[in-house]
Amino acid sequence: MGSTEAVQAATAGAGESASGNGAGNAATAGRPADRRLLINGELIDTGRTFPSLNPATGDVLGYAPDAEVADAEAAVAAARKAFDTAEWATDVDLRIRCLEQFHQALIDHRDELGQLTTDEVGATPALLAGAQLDQPVAIVKYYADLLKTYSMTEDLGNIESRGMQHHRWVEKEAAGVVAAIIAYNYPNQLALAKLAPALAAGCTVVLKAAPDAPLITLALGELIANHTDIPAGVVNVLSGADPAVGAVLTTDPDVDMVTFTGSTPTGRRIMAAASDTLKRVFLELGGKSAAIVLDDADFQTAAVFSAFSMVTHAGQGCALTSRLLVPKSHHDEIVELVKANFSFVRYGDPNDPKTYMGPLISEKQRDKVDAMVQRAVAAGATLVTGGEKKGPGYFYTPTLLTNVDPDAEIAQEEVFGPVLAVIAYDDDDDAVRIANNSIYGLSGAIFGGEERALAMARRIRTGTFSINGGNYFSPDAPFGGYKQSGIGREMGEAGLEEFQERKTFATVVPQADKEGAA
């Protein structure tokens, strides 16, 4: 893999053509930045900026500092020094205190962060109360509390070898310097779900903002610099339109681990770039999840779930169930219910409390979504409703497609827009087969009798699953995928352990201790 490919991989957003607000616009010399980079404890303006757009209007929202390769190298060097020489990796009490300070700063600045998240990614008030802000803030508190009870050692007891007793134990140590690269769609969730467990584990971090949504991530760095005792170099935050910045994070030998959230094609390239130095890699990637409606389900409940979850954040979510599998005998009935629910979706100004669906992140992403819908129709799918661009801003109407072949592009590829593909199945085995007919395995849902639904859910190869509308998403629940939806788990104790190494110790038990124990 050449350096140019590695660079492009490291800076892509959640979709292959997602970048359009930041990365697609040239940097501007001399224009003041609205936020600052955080490098080695200092808030820095590079003197070069690039714009971030408001996706609801298409207007420039503000300007982010445009980091260069030297800035990325300085951030990695600062993180390396902090890990190797500061007390951060070994002082659990310091980490607890700093995480609690960070959590309080996030609470105190909730209104500012919420407005910025609405303006930069189109998050509605309902989403701010959930996965766009309040739930991510809770992740920081979760890991601060977890550290108070989590054991960093594991006793393995004694074994006899060579006529002597040997005592063994395991100590859990920080993995080292972490490069964290995030997508644009849920910037607070993605940043905090990486920062909090990495910091709790004792790692130092270089966090790279998505080019389409840099300002909110930079704001998190400013809170850390201004309101916590986190030592210089432990957290570094970068933004940049130059893809060369990302290459440093995936290839620099001083980086021990890369954690990335984004598209599967990009994840493959990041994994390849990190392989030269055998970095640990955590990948939270794409999905093409299926919701199955059984013939004994409450069809209205299933239709409401399928319609409104698909248009959550304009469909810009990797775990959304973008395939709806329905029994052939009830196909038309369920389609009509979903269509009716789509008609109730209010889209528009994300500042309006009555708005359910905001815009797509960029014109480029909207064009990609529209092109996939048009190709699906040309391939034989039926457009039941939607398929329209709306403005100002980058809105796309909730779109329902039927007569979708399970092997068609629209049924196999991640759209990252408010597009639901309906696929008819013959029986339970056929439904499971279609659901598993994907390179992805991130999530899924099923509606029907509890016992039957659970038995089918266990046959589907995904990392998370909702039964009859159950919500699995919370700070204590591991989240991640099977197959090409990723490697590893975020959140929960599993999320902390992604950022740990385990060192096994053994010592000879003195003879006196053996006799005393006897």
Side-chain angles (χ1 to χ4, degrees), residues 134-325:
D134 290 350
Q135 286 180 350
V137 169
I139 294 172
V140 180
K141 182 68 162 59
Y142 169 80
Y143 282 106
D145 290 342
L146 179 62
L147 279 185
K148 297 171 185 177
T149 59
Y150 183 86
S151 178
M152 294 293 179
T153 63
E154 179 185 356
D155 195 303
L156 299 180
N158 291 357
I159 59 170
E160 185 171 344
S161 175
R162 302 187 300 275
M164 296 179 287
Q165 288 288 319
H166 302 260
H167 182 66
R168 296 101 20 86
W169 72 99
V170 174
E171 295 185 3
K172 303 168 189 177
E173 300 180 345
V177 175
V178 174
I181 304 168
I182 66 171
Y184 65 80
N185 53 334
Y186 285 84
N188 294 304
Q189 168 67 33
L190 302 182
L192 296 178
K194 296 182 187 305
L195 270 178
L199 295 178
C203 296
T204 59
V205 182
V206 180
L207 172 65
K208 186 181 183 302
D212 294 276
L215 300 179
I216 183 63
T217 305
L218 294 170
L220 299 178
E222 292 180 1
L223 290 182
I224 288 171
N226 293 327
H227 299 283
T228 77
D229 296 327
I230 294 176
V234 169
V235 177
N236 306 270
V237 183
L238 302 174
S239 64
D242 183 357
V245 171
V248 174
L249 305 184
T250 60
T251 59
D252 193 309
D254 279 338
V255 172
D256 299 295
M257 176 178 175
V258 179
T259 171
F260 168 76
T261 297
S263 74
T264 292
T266 301
R268 294 184 195 119
R269 295 197 295 270
I270 282 188
M271 194 171 184
S275 68
D276 284 347
T277 48
L278 288 181
K279 301 184 192 309
R280 295 179 61 172
V281 177
F282 168 75
L283 302 173
E284 200 275 282
L285 305 176
K288 194 66 185 178
S289 303
I292 302 172
V293 183
L294 301 179
D295 54 16
D296 62 350
D298 181 327
F299 293 162
Q300 177 61 21
T301 298
V304 170
F305 175 95
S306 298
F308 281 88
S309 64
M310 191 62 251
V311 299
T312 298
H313 198 36
Q316 297 169 115
C318 52
L320 297 181
T321 47
S322 54
R323 293 181 293 159
L324 180 61
L325 278 52

Side-chain angles (χ1 to χ4, degrees), residues 428-430 432-433 436 453-462:
D428 290 3
D429 288 342
D430 192 37
V432 170
R433 180 189 63 79
N436 283 329
L454 179 57
M456 290 179 65
R458 285 176 170 149
R459 297 171 61 192
I460 296 168
R461 300 285 293 167
T462 65

